[in-house]
Amino acid sequence: MSAAAPAREFWSSRLGFVLAASGSAVGLGSIWKFPYIAGVNGGGLFVVAYLACIALVAVPIMVAEILLGRETRKAPVGAFRDAAGGSRGWSAVGWVGVATGAIILSYYSVVAGWTLHYAWLGARGALRSADPDAVANLFARVHADPGVNLFWHAVFMVVVTLCVAGGVRRGVERWNRLLMPTLILLMCVLLARATTLDGFGRAVEFVFGLHAQDLTARGLLEALGHAFFTLSLGMGAMITYGSYVARDEDVVSSSVIVSGLDTLISLLACLVVFPITFSFGLAPGAGPGLMFANLPIAFAQMPLGALWAAAFFLLLAVAALASAISTLEVVVAHAIDEIGWSRRRATLLLAGAIALLGVPSALSGGAGLFGAGFTDLTAGLFGPGEGKNWFDFWDWVCANLLLPAGGLGIAVFVAWRMGPAARERAFAQGSGYARWYWLWLWLLRWLVPLAIVAIFVNALGLV
Ligand code: TRP
C-alpha cells in the first residue's frame, strides 16, 4: 500500500513546524485551565513546581515523541510498529493514543463551542450585564442548553475539518501561521489593558509570590498532569507532527522553544485573568467556571467592555482551534497511513464520527442521561457527591489515565526498547545539543517513569 501512497508532506520550514507544534500546545489548557489550577493551588510555589515538571518530565517526552515521528515518518500506530520491528504490543500504545485523540477532541470541541458562543455574545453586546447573578445564570443556561451546545460544537468541528482537510502545508501549517501570531497579538493587547487595572499588583503577587504552605503533594501531582495536557503529550500528537519534520532539523531546540512559548502564554494568561478578577472583587479560586461565569462581569464594567469580551473569547477560540487541529490530525494521519484513505475522505469521515461522539458531551450540562444521570451513575465509582457527568468523566479518564499511560509507553519505548545506536544518532542529528544526550536519556529512563507512576498512584486514590 505504501508504495502507491502519495509522498509524505513536510513542513515548509522549521518555523512552520514550531508554529504548528506551539499551536497544538497552546490551548484551553494553557489559557483557561492553568490560571484556575494555579489559583486553587495558591500560585507561587505551584508555578515553580509546574516549571520544574515542564523542564524535567515534559520536555524529554516531547523530544522522544518528535524523534519517533521523524524517524518512522508515521502516525502513532505505524510509528510504534515500525520502530519496534512489527511488535503488536507496542502498536497498542499507538492505538491508545489515536483513541485518546478522538475522545479528547469530542469534548474539547464542546468547550471550544462555548468560547465561540461567548465571542458571538460579546460581539453582539449581549454580555453587558454586570450583575454577577445574571452572568452566572447565563453560564448555567448555556451549559445546560442542548441546542446551544450542539450548534456551537458542530460549528467548531466544521471549522477544524476545513483546516485539516487542506493538508499539512496548505491546511495545518497555513492556519497555524495565521492563528499563532494573532493569538500572541491579542494576548499582548489584553495584557496591556490588564496592567492598567488596580488589581495588577495583587495579581502579580498572587501568581509569583511564594506561599510555601499552599503547595501540597496533590498540587505537585496536578502540576505534573497538567504539564502533559498542556504540551499535548502522551497520545502521539507530537509523533504525528514530528513525522512531517525534515530529517536534519533540530528537534531538541524546537521542543525547548515550543515548551517555552506555551509556558510564557500560560503565565501571561494568569496576568490577564487575575488582574481582572482582583480588580472587580471576584474570587481567584472560583474553579472551572472562572472564565465563563466571572470574566464577563469584569468586561461589562470596563469601557468598551463588549469589545474586550469578544476579543478575549475569540482568543480562546483561536487557541482551541490550533489545538483541535493537531488532535484531528493524529486520527486522520492514522487512517491515511494505515488504511490508505485519501486525506479528504479521512478528514470528513473521522471528523463526522468524532462530532457524533461529542454529542453526549454537549448534552452533559443538563439533567438527562449524560448529565445528572451519569453523575449519579459514577458516584459509585468516585464516592457520594463526587460523581462526574459524561464530559467530566472522560476528561478525567484522559488526563489522569490515558495521557500518562501513553507518555509512560513512549518514554519506556524510546529509553529502553529502541536500539541505542539509532536512538543516539536520532537525538544528535541536526542538533546543537548532542552533548546533552546522556541527561535526556537519564531523565527518560528514570525520572519520567517514576513521576508518571506517581500520577497514577494519586489518580487511583492510593495517597
Ligand atoms: N494542549 C492543548 C491545550 O493545552 C490540548 C491538547 C491538544 C491536547 N491536543 C492534545 C492534550 C493532545 C493532550 C493530547 O489545551
Side-chain angles (χ1 to χ4, degrees), residues 71-396:
E71 291 304 301
T72 57
R73 301 244 158 282
K74 291 274 163 59
V77 175
F80 273 103
R81 192 196 48 231
D82 290 4
S87 152
R88 276 173 179 263
W90 284 110
S91 310
V93 179
W95 274 108
V96 172
V98 173
T100 308
I103 300 172
I104 289 183
L105 183 55
S106 77
Y107 68 77
Y108 200 79
S109 168
V110 174
V111 186
W114 297 343
T115 68
L116 283 178
H117 182 53
Y118 267 66
W120 165 248
L121 290 178
R124 275 185 32 215
L127 291 180
R128 267 191 304 230
S129 169
D131 170 17
D133 289 339
V135 177
N137 279 338
L138 174 69
F139 181 69
R141 268 211 317 279
V142 167
H143 189 55
D145 185 331
V148 167
N149 278 288
L150 286 173
F151 175 75
W152 291 103
H153 164 59
V155 170
F156 186 77
M157 284 304 300
V158 168
V159 178
V160 179
T161 306
L162 291 177
C163 293
V164 172
V168 173
R169 229 182 250 196
R170 285 192 328 183
V172 177
E173 181 178 331
R174 195 175 60 171
W175 281 103
N176 275 296
R177 273 179 188 269
L178 182 74
L179 295 178
M180 289 313 289
T182 310
L183 183 133
I184 292 170
L185 193 76
L186 264 176
M187 200 77 176
C188 290
V189 172
L190 286 168
L191 180 67
R193 177 68 181 92
T195 56
T196 66
L197 298 173
D198 315 333
F200 191 73
R202 264 187 74 199
V204 171
E205 211 292 313
F206 181 74
V207 179
F208 297 106
L210 297 180
H211 319 285
Q213 70 283 7
D214 289 326
L215 186 68
T216 59
R218 233 165 205 288
L220 187 64
L221 291 169
E222 194 163 2
L224 193 61
H226 185 67
F228 267 98
F229 188 84
T230 192
L231 293 182
S232 308
L233 299 174
M235 56 145 291
M238 292 299 166
I239 295 179
T240 308
Y241 272 17
S243 75
Y244 309 126
V245 169
R247 203 65 88 195
D248 56 354
E249 264 172 32
D250 187 342
V251 166
V252 182
S253 74
S254 297
S255 301
V256 171
I257 294 172
V258 170
S259 320
L261 192 67
D262 182 75
T263 307
L264 187 72
I265 300 235
S266 300
L267 295 177
L268 287 185
C270 289
L271 293 183
V272 168
V273 171
F274 289 121
I276 298 174
T277 310
F278 287 123
S279 299
F280 294 98
L282 306 170
L290 182 72
M291 230 172 48
F292 295 103
N294 286 9
L295 284 188
I297 303 171
F299 289 131
Q301 294 178 25
M302 297 185 348
L304 293 180
L307 194 71
W308 292 114
F312 184 81
F313 288 108
L314 195 64
L315 171 102
L316 272 167
V318 163
L321 177 59
S323 297
I325 287 174
S326 74
T327 319
L328 182 58
E329 179 63 25
V330 174
V331 185
V332 166
H334 170 75
I336 295 175
D337 288 352
E338 301 298 315
I339 319 178
W341 281 358
S342 70
R343 171 167 288 269
R344 251 202 139 129
R345 178 185 178 133
T347 311
L348 279 178
L349 288 180
L350 293 167
I354 291 170
L356 286 179
L357 195 65
V359 168
S361 291
L363 303 178
S364 288
L369 179 61
F370 298 110
F374 207 76
T375 308
D376 290 343
L377 208 67
T378 50
L381 207 59
F382 293 100
E386 301 272 322
K388 298 178 192 304
N389 64 29
W390 177 272
F391 175 111
D392 293 334
F393 176 77
W394 285 105
D395 182 37
W396 186 88

